[in-house]
Amino acid sequence: MTSPAESVKTTHRPLVIAAVMASMAMVAIEATIVSTVMPQIASQLGGLHLYSWVFASFLLAQTAMTVVFGKLSDVYGRKPVMLIGIAIFLLGSVLAGFAWSMPAMICFRLIQGVGAGAVQPVALTIVGDLYPVRERGKVQGYLASVWAISAVLGPMLGALIVQKLSWGWIFWMNVPIGIAAAAGFWLFLREAPIARRGSIDLIGAFLFTLGIAALMIALTEFGLGHEGAAMGWALVFVITVGLFVMQERRAPDPMVSFQLWGRRVIATVNGAAILSGMALIGITTFLPMYVQVVLKHSSVVAGLALTMVMLGWPIGATLASRTFQRFGLWRLVLTGSVLVPFGALAFATMGPETSVYIAGVGSFLVGLGMGLLSLSSLILIQESVEITQRGSATASNIFSRNLGSALGATFFGAVFNYGLTQAGTAGGAGLFTEDQLRQLLQGTLTSPASEMAIRLTLAGSLHLTFVTMLAISLAIVALAFLLPRHGLEIRPLAVQREG
């Protein structure tokens, strides 16, 4: 039988890394484009109250399937799981380009999320398999550049596509990228025969998905002022959580291993990842709307403001990859966690007359902090487990971040809707129709009074959303201080093993 070391030697590592970068670019550029042009898509499809669900459906599916695909990659190998994930993602992309309504868009985005649930964790696990820890940090830094390039190209391509072509092309452009990535894995990735077999906890995956969906619906109903429906869905969530815990305790190969998550370092780092995911999706979802509607800038400017998150992230990840052996992971985790609320503070203090550069600076600081935090956490977790658990351990960290994003999309959507409702009931600027918002975004609204009312209403609701985001960011710092410092000092041992 071929050993893992021999398998690595027969694998064309640079070409496999090129395929990894292509697959990650497919997911990364999708995030920046959709976030930038979603206000325009929503103005055409209608259903503004479902706006956050376009992001939440993707993230719900991605979160639920991340752990499942991570486990599958440990059982059946990285290559087949990656190819299946790419195929599902491309199917969802093609269908999303043909969406005729907001519910259809949400459904097709959910299919995309299932595919992304395989692509992201398995891609990072492949890197962990191919490179020892001393080389891995540098390679992870290279991969971070994918997000930087995608951050620059995404908003520009999105604005260009919306102006010159059908918005469907923001989804269809994934097809050639995905085919190229799949070809790279098919031709150049060589794996040792898989000796380990195990069961897949499908019941656990179903209960998890049902529970998170119930929680997201409860938050949405609460934000819309439907307290009765919200309480009903909250009860479904509580019952499902109880069933999920019972299932995970008796499953031979649980979806969420309490033994793995019971380690203090992993539990704390993943907890911070959940909160980071919430903060990030809040920025991604609502900053473009604030810049376009409240600050009165174009979608291109809104995309560039959001781009600063994706520029700061790879810079932070690159700094972490080059310095973690010198400074240690604990300092990098703490530094990254402190930078996030500093960036969120910029959003919480913005007003209608604020310069858009303030939004850019805040975005950059958040991205820089998350880059430091995410890469340090990933290296820590991968080096804390055996290779047979590496897929599951890597997936647990990505799962946590995606879970935070899924919850954050709905949580901040509920805060946003609550702000709109309060504006209408408190005698403020009042609510507005979707047709009025569509006219405002398209520049065809003829009533100055209506335009001012819409901008003031959205400014107040978004301010409440950003203040809540700041509170979430401060909780990340609290978790970072709870980390057992000695548990993060694995660097010298890892280097010694490699030496």
Side-chain angles (χ1 to χ4, degrees):
M1 179 180 294
T2 306
S3 68
E6 292 171 340
S7 175
V8 170
K9 290 180 181 179
T10 59
T11 292
H12 301 278
R13 292 199 303 181
L15 295 176
V16 173
I17 291 303
V20 169
M21 294 177 72
S23 64
M24 292 182 67
M26 181 175 64
V27 177
I29 202 168
E30 180 76 358
T32 56
I33 286 184
V34 173
S35 300
T36 302
V37 304
M38 196 58 223
Q40 281 73 25
I41 295 176
S43 70
Q44 294 182 31
L45 297 181
L48 180 64
H49 64 287
L50 299 174
Y51 181 88
S52 63
W53 273 92
V54 175
F55 304 93
S57 63
F58 179 96
L59 293 166
L60 171 63
Q62 184 183 22
T63 303
M65 298 310 297
T66 291
V67 177
V68 173
F69 282 122
K71 178 75 70 175
L72 285 172
S73 73
D74 283 339
V75 175
Y76 298 108
R78 323 299 188 202
K79 184 174 178 176
V81 175
M82 174 62 81
L83 294 176
I84 291 172
I86 291 175
I88 296 173
F89 187 88
L90 294 184
L91 174 63
S93 298
V94 172
L95 293 174
F98 290 107
W100 57 88
S101 65
M102 193 67 88
M105 174 66 76
I106 292 170
C107 178
F108 299 144
R109 286 280 288 170
L110 187 144
I111 297 175
Q112 272 190 307
V114 172
V119 171
Q120 192 176 13
V122 178
L124 294 175
T125 304
I126 289 172
V127 175
D129 291 343
L130 295 182
Y131 291 89
V133 65
R134 286 187 297 177
E135 298 180 53
R136 196 182 312 149
K138 186 180 296 184
V139 175
Q140 297 282 12
Y142 295 153
L143 297 181
S145 66
V146 171
W147 291 90
I149 296 172
S150 300
V152 174
L153 293 181
M156 295 180 181
L157 286 174
L160 182 63
I161 288 172
V162 169
Q163 292 175 7
K164 303 296 183 182
L165 301 170
S166 166
W167 55 258
W169 285 99
I170 70 174
F171 300 101
W172 298 331
M173 65 181 294
N174 291 324
V175 174
I177 302 175
I179 291 175
F185 289 118
W186 179 268
L187 295 173
F188 304 117
L189 179 60
R190 303 286 183 266
E191 292 187 285
I194 301 297
R196 181 176 181 267
R197 287 291 180 266
S199 59
I200 303 301
D201 184 19
L202 295 179
I203 297 177
F206 170 77
L207 289 173
F208 172 83
T209 305
L210 177 61
I212 296 300
L215 177 59
M216 292 166 68
I217 295 173
L219 290 172
T220 301
E221 294 292 346
F222 178 78
L224 294 174
H226 305 155
E227 287 81 4
M231 291 298 294
W233 283 106
L235 179 61
V236 173
F237 167 71
V238 172
I239 294 173
T240 306
V241 167
L243 294 175
F244 177 75
V245 172
M246 293 173 57
Q247 167 65 19
E248 297 308 279
R249 290 190 180 280
R250 70 180 181 85
D253 233 344
M255 174 185 171
V256 175
S257 171
F258 292 135
Q259 180 181 5
L260 180 69
W261 282 72
R263 303 179 187 181
R264 182 178 173 185
V265 172
I266 293 180
T268 309
V269 169
N270 285 347
I274 292 174
L275 298 179
S276 298
M278 292 183 67
L280 181 62
I281 196 63
I283 297 170
T284 303
T285 305
F286 294 105
L287 182 61
M289 182 185 293
Y290 194 95
V291 173
Q292 290 180 67
V293 178
V294 180
L295 300 186
K296 305 179 183 180
H297 290 284
S298 68
S299 60
V300 176
V301 175
L304 291 175
L306 183 62
T307 291
M308 299 307 293
V309 174
M310 304 304 177
L311 285 178
W313 190 304
I315 291 175
T318 301
L319 288 174
S321 68
R322 295 179 181 274
T323 60
F324 77 91
Q325 295 187 61
R326 181 185 306 171
F327 298 112
L329 294 171
W330 185 83
R331 291 183 178 87
L332 294 180
V333 169
L334 183 61
T335 302
S337 66
V338 170
L339 286 173
V340 174
F342 270 107
L345 181 63
F347 305 129
T349 56
M350 287 193 304
E353 304 301 323
T354 301
S355 169
V356 71
Y357 293 109
I358 299 298
V361 171
S363 297
F364 180 79
L365 289 176
V366 170
L368 185 66
M370 290 191 175
L372 289 168
L373 185 61
S374 63
L375 185 63
S376 302
S377 301
L378 184 61
I379 294 175
L380 168 68
I381 285 177
Q382 288 183 338
E383 289 304 298
S384 300
V385 298
E386 300 295 329
I387 190 172
T388 55
Q389 293 182 303
R390 185 173 288 161
S392 299
T394 302
S396 77
N397 187 247
I398 299 173
F399 161 85
S400 301
R401 194 184 312 152
N402 292 340
L403 174 60
S405 296
L407 293 176
T410 309
F411 175 73
F412 288 121
V415 174
F416 174 72
N417 288 331
Y418 177 78
L420 292 179
T421 303
Q422 290 300 109
T425 58
L431 297 178
F432 49 86
T433 66
E434 293 182 4
D435 186 60
Q436 288 177 314
L437 178 61
R438 182 184 301 113
Q439 293 177 24
L440 177 62
L441 291 171
Q442 295 174 350
T444 59
L445 189 63
T446 57
S447 171
S450 297
E451 178 181 344
M452 180 61 68
I454 294 173
R455 295 189 191 279
L456 288 175
T457 301
L458 284 175
S461 182
L462 290 170
H463 175 71
L464 177 62
T465 304
F466 290 143
V467 170
T468 307
M469 189 186 308
L470 175 60
I472 295 293
S473 302
L474 290 171
I476 300 174
V477 182
L479 277 178
F481 275 107
L482 290 177
L483 281 171
R485 183 171 180 176
H486 66 277
L488 295 180
E489 298 300 332
I490 65 170
R491 173 189 53 79
L493 297 176
V495 173
Q496 186 177 6
R497 286 199 304 267
E498 296 297 335

